[in-house]
Amino acid sequence: MSELPSSQTSDTGTSADNDATPALRVNHTHAGIRARAAANAERSLDDAGLYFNRELSTLRFHIRVLEQALDESHPLLERLMFLLIFSSNLDEFFEIRVAGLKRQLAYGNEEIGMDGHSTASIFNELSQTAHEQVERQYHILNTRLIPALAEQGIHFLRRHVWNKAQREWVNRYFDDEIMPVISPIGLDPSHPFPRLVNKSLNFIVELEGRDAFGREGGMAIIPAPRSLPRLIRLPRELEREGRQEYVFLSSMIHAHAEELFPGMTVRGCYQFRLTRNADLSVDTEEVSDLATALKSELLARRYGDGVRLEVANNCPTHLSDFLLRQFQLGQEDLYLVDGPVNLSRLMAMIGDSDRFDLRYTPFAPGTPKALRKDESMFSIVGQQDILLLHPWESFGVIENWLAEAARDPAVLAIKQTLYRTGVDSGVVSALVDAARSGKEVTVVIELRARFDEADNIALASRLQEAGANVIYGVMAYKTHAKMLHIVRREEGRIRHYAHMGTGNYHSKTAKLYTDYSLLTARETLCEDVHHVFQQLSGMGEPRHTEHLLHAPFTLHKRLVELIDREAGYARKGHKATLTIKCNSLTEPRLIQALYRASQAGVICQLIIRGTCCLRPGVPGVSDNITVRSIVGRFLEHTRVFHFHNGGKPEVWCSSADFMERNMFQRVETCFPLLDKKIAQRVRKDLDTYMLDNCQSWTLQPDGHYEKRCPGKDEAAISAQETLLYAYAARP
């Protein structure tokens, strides 16, 4: 990445402030009003041609992640990580999104979405695109990344290149580590096809000869032990000088397949993996004990209906067809792969590697100046609002605040929502300590946070055992809001403190995801947080909130009003701009509000990381709307909404995306940044994202994304690198 200048002219001709930080910090964005185009001026906003399909848009995001594997500005092992993340993302996409489409097709519940396409047509297009991208993924791995890694001394050894000493070590490893736990399954009338675990590595083996019981050879299945790593590094004394050498578990099993069937001939051994439907289905109207119901569903998730079959590309057709029949899948569900079928398991190798020169340069998260004082957090937050931008600013501030609250005898009560966290996290440990010390601790845990259900059930038990009040939220609505409320007695009166954020209370993802955290003692905001907690723990009519927007009650309606308000300014000839940054944009009425704003002349800058159903650049409808997606080192996760508001700008942060589920099926919060300096800082952050020309992709009217690149005389600007320079600790 080239050095960032202290000032820079944007593509709209507006200069940056000279008073900004040494890294690029732009204060001004493009302003002005474009006249509404005459063409298509009366086009109905219900027109299907104005919307992209949600599933196809989501898949396009995963493809943008895969593209990072080709970007040589990323260190080599990070490029490999992007390829593996693509694999992991695609797994979940099939487990949830494709599984849902296949269920609709199976039950004849085809739906025509707002984009006008049928379920069948979308499934076919998804299948074609996914097949192309999987083939491309393995091509990138085999022709670009593996050779580049070899040049750096990192080698994946196939069986035919093992030397004598390495082969002897592999033999011992197989005898000591694999043979005791492996269980080959011969297929015959008394041994029907086994029920294989979701995404597990397996082998189908074709046999010849008779076994000890006189049975004729046929086929067998070898499930690879899930307890064993998929990639094993050779002992250093066996590695060639200056090299790191790895052996695949699959290669070891291939090399010893005949030992598993003594006296028989193995005619072929081919790896495969089945992806199953992993979406949990709990009837919220019938369940009396959510935790117990989820435990049962978690077991079922491992054996849901098949949705995708990955098979080694050298597997004979009659064997892959046999597997398809066993899993009741069609040819469109078959993916022939040129390499390991379970690529995401290779992430462990990157984590264990000592080649730090092939990873991103580490950094230490910064701490705002106000928090560097040797004072109580309550004293500091009691005097001013504090805003943190993770991962560049430390999440440890929140953990430390909770730990201080747990020790502080003046703290009377702590209330917190937990959506994704860890059982052993500092947050949970502080809550446990607080409960054990006799404080009133109430935790709203969302058990249904997808793929974190088991962890959340475990942490709920841990908190209950410590004496905390654990609430599972509202049955029909996932609690996705990120809130912390602390009640403290100070000088004979009660004072409230709160934390609200755009991300989860998870120390690991806080190092990888971009999120805002607001720490405040503002009476009205804290009172609003208190009311939301009362709404979650008690019953009754929706509680009034002064500033906080609260889904499913006020958030959607108010966001539409804020967008329409901006349109009203534009119609009167005033400057009118808005910037929306979130992960996904799919909700039809919000999209239509943005279309109306564009038609009125509002400059709408949208930074949508992933799924976007809005079609920009349609004359007379969305020609004042631009959509950017930022994909880089960190996962963009902040939800920030800025409205010019006739020269009285408003900036909001939220736990919610612009999606139907967030607006109507979840408990969400959206909070204003009332401190003007903090709001100004966030607007600068948004401006920085708008100037990114290294990791920014622009959505085109036809649905494809174009990567922005620096012009001939233009400096390279990475928003994430700029923000890291601005906020992380200085060496």
Side-chain angles (χ1 to χ4, degrees):
M1 200 68 64
S2 64
E3 185 69 22
L4 295 172
S6 59
S7 64
Q8 174 67 30
T9 301
S10 74
D11 56 5
T12 59
T14 305
S15 298
D17 274 2
N18 292 327
D19 296 334
T21 64
L24 179 66
R25 311 292 288 131
V26 179
N27 276 331
H28 307 293
T29 52
H30 181 75
I33 300 169
R34 301 177 189 171
R36 176 174 170 171
N40 292 329
E42 302 304 321
R43 185 172 181 178
S44 170
L45 298 185
D46 292 321
D47 187 337
L50 294 177
Y51 302 92
F52 295 125
N53 177 264
R54 171 180 171 172
E55 319 301 348
L56 290 172
S57 181
T58 302
L59 184 55
R60 291 186 185 111
F61 165 66
H62 298 324
I63 294 170
R64 293 197 294 281
V65 173
L66 177 59
E67 289 289 339
Q68 307 306 305
L70 293 170
D71 187 344
E72 295 185 1
S73 69
H74 298 298
L76 183 54
L77 284 177
E78 304 295 350
R79 291 170 58 195
L80 176 61
M81 178 62 85
F82 278 114
L83 183 131
L84 304 183
I85 290 172
F86 169 78
S87 184
S88 178
N89 287 351
L90 211 58
D91 285 350
E92 183 174 340
F93 184 72
F94 274 90
E95 289 175 297
I96 305 299
R97 307 309 309 178
V98 175
L101 293 176
K102 288 179 72 68
R103 191 187 306 115
Q104 289 181 32
L105 293 171
Y107 288 100
N109 296 331
E110 282 206 61
E111 299 176 0
I112 304 297
M114 61 181 179
D115 55 285
H117 293 92
S118 68
T119 302
S121 66
I122 292 302
F123 176 80
N124 291 336
E125 188 168 350
L126 283 174
S127 177
Q128 178 181 344
T129 303
H131 277 88
E132 292 170 353
Q133 295 303 318
V134 168
E135 181 178 352
R136 182 165 170 259
Q137 173 193 22
Y138 281 89
H139 181 75
I140 293 170
L141 175 67
N142 292 322
T143 66
R144 301 287 289 274
L145 297 183
I146 288 180
L149 288 165
E151 289 178 5
Q152 294 295 327
I154 300 175
H155 296 262
F156 305 103
L157 303 184
R158 302 292 185 178
R159 285 177 287 160
H160 67 274
V161 300
W162 296 343
N163 60 33
K164 182 180 178 182
Q166 291 169 343
R167 188 173 298 277
E168 289 175 351
W169 181 87
V170 168
N171 291 342
R172 289 194 301 272
Y173 187 95
F174 183 85
D175 291 340
D176 296 342
E177 303 290 337
I178 300 176
M179 183 64 92
V181 294
I182 202 165
S183 299
I185 303 169
L187 302 182
D188 61 30
S190 62
H191 296 84
F193 197 92
R195 202 173 178 201
L196 303 175
V197 174
N198 182 31
K199 297 185 297 186
S200 59
L201 172 62
N202 302 278
F203 300 83
I204 184 167
V205 182
E206 200 166 21
L207 300 169
E208 193 174 75
R210 290 180 179 273
D211 73 356
F213 297 96
R215 294 174 298 184
E216 286 285 352
M219 285 186 287
I221 299 296
I222 306 174
R226 294 173 67 81
S227 59
L228 295 179
R230 296 317 189 226
L231 192 64
I232 300 98
R233 183 172 177 178
L234 290 171
R236 294 185 184 278
E237 62 270 18
L238 295 180
E239 293 177 333
R240 296 168 180 86
E241 185 176 354
R243 293 163 58 124
Q244 292 181 6
E245 298 183 327
Y246 295 86
V247 176
F248 287 102
L249 176 67
S250 56
S251 295
M252 294 185 178
I253 292 176
H254 277 296
H256 296 84
E258 293 207 350
E259 294 180 30
L260 299 172
F261 306 96
M264 304 189 76
T265 301
V266 173
R267 295 178 56 191
C269 178
Y270 311 97
Q271 58 180 308
F272 71 93
R273 186 176 77 142
L274 176 70
T275 305
R276 296 182 180 273
N277 181 343
D279 203 7
L280 299 185
S281 56
V282 176
D283 189 337
T284 57
E285 295 183 359
E286 298 294 329
V287 169
S288 58
D289 184 339
L290 181 59
T292 300
L294 275 175
K295 288 178 183 178
S296 175
E297 282 293 317
L298 286 172
L299 293 174
R301 169 184 278 170
R302 303 174 70 188
Y303 301 105
D305 294 337
V307 295
R308 174 185 60 168
L309 177 65
E310 297 166 278
V311 180
N313 63 357
N314 62 340
C315 180
T317 301
H318 69 278
L319 292 183
S320 60
D321 287 347
F322 170 78
L323 291 172
L324 289 172
R325 289 194 300 272
Q326 294 300 315
F327 303 129
Q328 299 180 327
L329 295 174
Q331 288 293 328
E332 68 278 6
D333 304 312
L334 176 65
Y335 289 76
L336 299 175
V337 301
D338 185 14
V341 297
N342 51 346
L343 284 176
S344 58
R345 291 287 296 269
L346 303 187
M347 289 183 184
M349 165 263 179
I350 298 178
D352 291 340
S353 174
D354 56 6
R355 290 298 304 274
F356 302 112
D357 56 317
L358 303 180
R359 302 293 307 272
Y360 290 125
T361 302
F363 69 95
T367 302
K369 185 177 180 180
L371 296 180
R372 297 174 201 162
K373 305 172 186 176
D374 187 19
E375 294 182 30
S376 162
M377 282 287 294
F378 292 104
S379 174
I380 297 170
V381 177
Q383 298 175 51
Q384 65 182 103
D385 289 353
I386 301 291
L387 186 75
L388 304 170
L389 178 53
H390 313 303
W392 303 294
E393 292 180 298
S394 176
F395 179 77
V397 168
I398 298 163
E399 293 179 313
N400 293 340
W401 193 20
L402 265 171
E404 180 183 344
R407 297 188 304 267
D408 188 345
V411 170
L412 306 177
I414 302 173
K415 298 180 182 180
Q416 186 162 12
T417 59
L418 294 179
Y419 188 75
R420 297 190 195 278
T421 188
V423 177
D424 299 321
S425 74
V427 167
V428 175
S429 295
L431 293 171
V432 167
D433 291 343
R436 286 176 176 165
S437 68
K439 301 183 191 306
E440 189 70 15
V441 176
T442 302
V443 186
V444 182
I445 298 179
E446 181 47 69
L447 295 183
R448 294 162 295 176
R450 184 176 291 149
F451 298 117
D452 280 321
E453 299 93 345
D455 283 349
N456 285 1
I457 290 172
L459 74 87
S461 297
R462 183 183 175 200
L463 287 164
Q464 286 170 330
E465 290 169 2
N469 301 312
V470 175
I471 299 169
Y472 298 145
V474 183
M475 186 68 77
Y477 300 87
K478 285 187 178 182
T479 302
H480 192 249
K482 328 300 185 188
M483 301 183 299
L484 166 65
H485 179 219
I486 302 175
V487 181
R488 192 169 186 260
R489 189 181 300 280
E490 298 178 2
E491 299 178 351
R493 70 183 185 93
I494 298 296
R495 189 160 191 196
H496 300 260
Y497 297 84
H499 166 269
M500 291 170 283
T502 66
N504 300 300
Y505 293 102
H506 198 301
S507 58
K508 290 185 179 178
T509 57
K511 297 176 182 177
L512 302 172
Y513 294 10
T514 70
D515 275 305
Y516 282 111
S517 281
L518 178 69
L519 287 64
T520 185
R522 286 180 185 265
E523 188 172 340
T524 52
L525 277 178
C526 291
E527 187 69 17
D528 284 352
V529 170
H530 175 55
H531 285 166
V532 175
F533 273 112
Q534 287 184 317
Q535 186 76 45
L536 287 169
S537 61
M539 301 185 75
E541 293 293 321
R543 303 295 179 99
H544 170 74
T545 53
E546 185 71 23
H547 294 293
L548 216 60
L549 304 181
H550 181 199
F553 304 112
T554 61
L555 178 56
H556 181 266
K557 178 182 177 182
R558 185 60 180 148
L559 285 174
V560 172
E561 290 173 352
L562 291 172
I563 297 170
D564 286 344
R565 182 185 66 184
E566 210 64 34
Y569 283 114
R571 292 189 188 98
K572 294 176 181 178
H574 300 304
K575 174 182 175 180
T577 66
L578 62 84
T579 305
I580 304 296
K581 183 177 185 295
C582 59
N583 303 326
S584 299
L585 171 58
T586 65
E587 204 284 311
R589 281 173 285 178
L590 288 170
I591 293 175
Q592 290 180 357
L594 290 166
Y595 284 154
R596 291 195 300 271
S598 173
Q599 289 175 323
V602 179
I603 302 302
C604 303
Q605 300 178 139
L606 309 183
I607 306 169
I608 312 297
R609 182 196 76 202
T611 309
C612 182
C613 295
L614 177 148
R615 186 186 295 270
V618 178
V621 178
S622 58
D623 38 2
N624 287 328
I625 301 177
T626 57
V627 179
R628 288 176 171 83
S629 171
I630 305 293
V631 183
R633 172 177 181 176
F634 306 103
L635 182 73
E636 290 298 330
H637 199 250
T638 52
R639 289 95 166 193
V640 187
F641 319 137
H642 165 242
F643 302 93
H644 184 261
N645 187 30
K648 299 178 181 179
E650 291 182 1
V651 180
W652 301 75
C653 291
S654 180
S655 60
D657 287 311
F658 274 35
M659 302 179 74
E660 297 91 328
R661 69 186 187 192
N662 298 97
M663 298 296 149
F664 307 116
Q665 292 144 24
R666 291 186 173 186
V667 176
E668 305 274 12
T669 54
C670 179
F671 52 95
L673 300 180
L674 300 177
D675 183 288
K676 291 184 178 180
K677 288 185 178 179
I678 287 177
Q680 172 70 0
R681 165 189 157 177
V682 172
R683 294 204 302 273
K684 289 183 180 181
D685 293 346
L686 291 173
D687 293 341
T688 302
Y689 279 108
M690 292 303 299
L691 288 172
D692 188 299
N693 57 16
C694 292
Q695 297 169 324
S696 176
W697 299 73
T698 305
L699 178 59
Q700 304 301 308
D702 64 359
H704 84 276
Y705 282 79
E706 258 182 30
K707 186 173 183 182
R708 297 184 69 197
C709 297
K712 182 179 179 181
D713 299 318
E714 187 180 10
I717 303 170
S718 162
Q720 292 189 352
E721 290 291 326
T722 300
L723 294 172
L724 188 154
Y725 185 85
Y727 294 127
R730 294 288 184 267

